[in-house]
Amino acid sequence: MRRAVFERGSEVALFLAALIAVVIIVLIGTFILIEGLPAFERTGLLNFLLGHEWRPLQGVFGIFPMIVGSIAVTAVALAVGVPLGLATAIFLAEIAPPRAERLVRPAVELLAGIPSVVYGLFGMTMLVPIIRALAQTWLGASLDPQFRAGYSVLAAGLVLAIMILPTIINIAEDVLRAQPLEYKEGSLALGATHWQTIACVLLPAARPGIVAAIVLAMGRAIGETMAVIMVAGNTPVLPQSLFSPVRTLTSNIALEMPYAGPGAHSQALYATGVVLFGLTMVVNLAALLVSRRRVKRG
Amino acid sequence: MSQQQAQKLAFTLLWGAASLTVLILTVILGYILVQGLPQVSWEFLTKEPTEMGRSGGIFSSIVGTLYFVAASLILAAPLGIGAGIYLAEYTHDGWFTSLVRFGIDALAAVPSIVFGLFGYALFVVALKPVTHGWSILSGAFTAACMVLPTLIRTSEEALRAVPQEYREGSLALGATRWQTVVRVVLPAAAPGILTGVILSIGRVVGETAALLLTLGGSLRLPRSIFEPARTMALHLYLVAMEVGAMDKAFGTAAVLVITVLGVNLLATWLTRRHLMRLLR
């Protein structure tokens, strides 16, 4: 009898543990919504999302520059990181000799392990000075002086490109390896070269999975905070060029929350968090849908 | 251009991309270690910081990191492993597991600064009587939420890798389900679960954004988990961005990188040993 009670009790406890992730997601959504809603009410949803001015001291809260900023740095990160990551994944899945594989694979693992503040420190003391030198010499004449500091969309995008490499490489390689061997054999038997097989058979077959990898990498780039703060310059103004300083949604929260008093200012920061939360949930759902389509088709 | 030439060109580019990936890692690690290691000495590791971190060492942030990591894992590991057990042993795929998996994926996708906002509202403000506001405990609660997906996934995978015969044998001997799980399946899966725990440690040690809003960032040596503190990662950020003491920032970065990579290597080594044993 006692044993039966114990069996049942342990199962209920484990069931509750399994629910914890769902409970926390709901709690996160609820808490930031409750804290952020007054800001939407006060400013108006559209004014908040599309307002160009962010002046907390005057009580003016528009996060349009930060939305554009997040999109801009993410776009640069994908433009650089996707080709490089995809090529490395193809290399690992298709042509790497074992010795090269033993070098590249741990390198990817190590890249994934480096903390984001360390990427930030690297970007701040290495990439930013390089971009500054570039902006002051080669492009000096054509650039507005305020764009010559090196802290820029470009710096943030490049740091993010490095940070999303492991995500892209690991998922894309898995997807490429998961393709049925017959595809490859059929193509090679028809006299196609190995590269033709990769480009015309394997990559198209793996496309949904690769798209899912890119979408997940995008989510990671949108959500990254510390590395971006350290290299982006953080001016809450619409970015004009690759060399403009930029503030993202994540940095907006991290920069101002530590000193924002309770009331309108911190509510506006929570509202920024709501937008960010919504954005990442949409991205995550998109990745889920893309990979589910793969399952159905396969 | 013939197909052979096209292939040669394409493969050269692929080799170039892979080399560039390795080169990027080498440059970053080399740069941080070359700049940082000369700062690291016995004094640097054992002296408390002074003048906001401009001089002195990082002892208090090392202690803060230890307290914080231990508290996070003590909070998260039982829940994460429990959830893994339920998913692997107690349920079949259905709407409930879909819901749980969606929750895990969603949780893994939430940006850490959003965890920070959440942790601030719930643990720092609402639960102040329990956590004493900004404190190691508030930070640990927040970080525990963040590492749950890693913990659940790795424990579930480790449990699923245990051969079905183990369970059948145990049940056939008259053991209950719980007895089977605790005495047979869990011990067999222990190395895999441990790997997940170690990976979570690596993640928590490097976390910064969420801690900015929950840990308090105090420079003083913490004496309990109810006091504010800073971890090495948070110290690195604050010293680099707010104090501008780059020499100390690099020193901290070197110690942090070595810690995190050491932890990850340990996890890789464990996984490999475990796999060898399973394959034997």
Side-chain angles (χ1 to χ4, degrees):
Chain A
M1 178 59 207
R2 260 189 56 210
R3 175 162 290 169
V5 172
F6 189 73
E7 279 294 313
R8 193 76 200 129
S10 60
E11 186 171 344
V12 171
L14 292 173
F15 173 80
L16 292 177
L19 264 182
I20 189 78
V22 179
V23 172
I24 293 174
I25 269 291
V26 173
L27 279 179
I28 292 177
T30 321
F31 265 87
I32 58 172
L33 254 181
I34 290 177
E35 301 282 335
L37 268 184
F40 290 127
E41 276 166 17
R42 190 176 305 112
T43 315
L45 182 61
L46 279 184
N47 283 336
F48 185 77
L49 292 178
L50 301 177
H52 281 46
E53 303 269 338
W54 176 270
R55 281 178 306 187
L57 295 177
Q58 279 84 39
V60 180
F61 302 108
I63 60 164
F64 191 64
M66 281 72 109
I67 296 180
V68 175
S70 281
I71 295 173
V73 297
T74 304
V76 174
L78 291 179
V80 178
V82 168
L84 182 57
L86 198 52
T88 307
I90 299 174
F91 176 82
L92 283 173
E94 287 296 317
I95 68 170
R99 270 175 59 193
E101 202 179 321
R102 274 204 299 275
L103 185 67
V104 178
R105 204 180 299 281
V108 176
E109 269 174 46
L110 290 180
L111 273 179
I114 296 176
S116 56
V117 266
V118 174
Y119 279 112
L121 185 67
F122 165 78
M124 184 178 174
T125 55
M126 185 124 170
L127 285 180
V128 168
I130 292 175
I131 294 171
R132 184 187 304 140
L134 202 77
Q136 284 172 349
T137 53
W138 292 3
L139 305 159
S142 59
L143 272 183
D144 197 282
Q146 57 170 341
F147 296 159
R148 292 183 195 166
Y151 293 95
S152 55
V153 175
L154 185 60
L158 288 179
V159 172
L160 286 175
I162 301 173
M163 295 180 74
I164 60 175
L165 276 181
T167 310
I168 299 174
I169 296 173
N170 287 331
I171 305 179
E173 192 202 343
D174 281 349
V175 175
L176 285 170
R177 283 189 188 275
Q179 297 308 315
L181 203 54
E182 291 82 7
Y183 289 9
K184 198 169 154 184
E185 286 165 350
S187 165
L188 292 173
L190 287 172
T193 63
H194 191 182
W195 170 244
Q196 281 177 312
T197 307
I198 294 171
C200 305
V201 179
L202 280 180
L203 282 179
R207 208 171 78 189
I210 291 172
V211 173
I214 295 171
V215 175
L216 285 175
M218 192 166 93
R220 169 117 207 251
I222 294 174
E224 175 53 38
T225 314
M226 305 318 289
V228 173
I229 292 192
M230 294 170 84
V231 301
N234 303 322
T235 336
V237 176
L238 216 54
Q240 306 293 318
S241 80
L242 276 180
F243 294 91
S244 302
V246 66
R247 183 186 286 198
T248 62
L249 292 167
T250 51
S251 2
N252 195 37
I253 303 169
L255 285 164
E256 298 193 358
M257 197 61 203
Y259 70 84
H265 191 185
S266 73
Q267 283 160 356
L269 295 172
Y270 268 96
T272 313
V274 173
V275 174
L276 192 58
F277 183 74
L279 213 57
T280 44
M281 286 302 112
V282 169
V283 167
N284 189 48
L285 266 178
L288 195 75
L289 289 180
V290 173
S291 51
R292 186 165 291 168
R293 210 175 57 199
R294 183 181 80 207
V295 174
K296 272 199 187 130
R297 272 204 342 203
Chain B
M1 188 160 61
S2 77
Q3 283 307 331
Q4 269 65 33
Q5 283 169 317
Q7 164 152 321
K8 202 159 186 195
L9 179 66
F11 281 12
T12 311
L13 287 177
L14 294 181
W15 271 94
S19 315
L20 185 56
T21 303
V22 176
L23 183 71
I24 290 172
L25 173 81
T26 319
V27 168
I28 295 179
L29 275 189
Y31 175 71
I32 294 290
L33 292 179
V34 166
Q35 299 275 330
L37 279 182
Q39 312 291 334
V40 180
S41 61
W42 184 244
E43 277 73 42
F44 186 73
L45 297 174
T46 55
K47 284 242 159 45
E48 287 189 41
T50 47
E51 297 174 63
M52 298 296 290
R54 232 173 254 111
S55 55
I58 56 167
F59 184 63
S60 55
S61 67
I62 294 178
V63 175
T65 307
L66 291 177
Y67 269 113
F68 163 72
V69 169
S72 310
L73 266 298
I74 288 172
L75 291 170
L79 276 174
I81 297 170
I85 295 176
Y86 190 83
L87 289 174
E89 305 290 326
Y90 281 83
T91 183
H92 298 286
D93 281 346
W95 68 268
F96 179 73
T97 50
S98 304
L99 176 72
V100 169
R101 265 176 240 290
F102 176 78
I104 295 169
D105 286 348
L107 205 58
V110 172
S112 58
I113 191 68
V114 174
F115 276 104
L117 283 175
F118 163 69
Y120 177 75
L122 178 57
F123 303 123
V124 177
V125 178
L127 292 179
K128 190 165 186 183
V130 183
T131 59
H132 294 217
W134 281 292
S135 65
I136 295 176
L137 190 57
S138 295
F141 268 123
T142 312
C145 301
M146 302 180 68
V147 294
L148 273 175
T150 313
L151 279 169
I152 300 176
R153 282 177 190 156
T154 47
S155 354
E156 188 192 346
E157 267 174 44
L159 290 163
R160 282 194 192 279
V162 175
Q164 201 56 35
E165 291 82 8
Y166 286 32
R167 298 181 185 86
E168 287 161 2
S170 165
L171 293 171
L173 287 173
T176 65
R177 201 175 213 185
W178 174 248
Q179 287 171 326
T180 305
V181 167
V182 173
R183 307 245 175 98
V184 179
V185 185
L186 266 184
I193 295 177
L194 189 61
T195 307
V197 173
I198 294 174
L199 282 177
S200 311
I201 293 178
R203 166 110 199 261
V204 168
V205 171
E207 178 49 41
T208 314
L211 304 185
L212 204 56
L213 308 184
T214 53
L215 203 59
S218 160
L219 264 177
R220 296 221 327 270
L221 191 67
R223 306 203 176 275
S224 81
I225 55 168
F226 300 105
E227 287 182 19
R230 55 173 69 177
T231 62
M232 289 187 280
L234 190 54
H235 183 67
L236 159 53
Y237 171 73
L238 294 171
V239 163
M241 288 293 280
E242 291 184 0
V243 185
M246 299 316 280
D247 53 336
K248 300 294 176 188
F250 274 112
T252 316
V255 178
L256 179 63
V257 161
I258 291 171
T259 311
V260 172
L261 297 188
V263 166
N264 286 351
L265 277 180
L266 183 65
T268 318
W269 178 76
L270 260 178
T271 316
R272 204 160 289 156
R273 221 184 56 155
H274 181 49
L275 278 180
M276 305 261 264
R277 257 199 4 212
L278 275 186
L279 291 176
R280 213 184 285 156

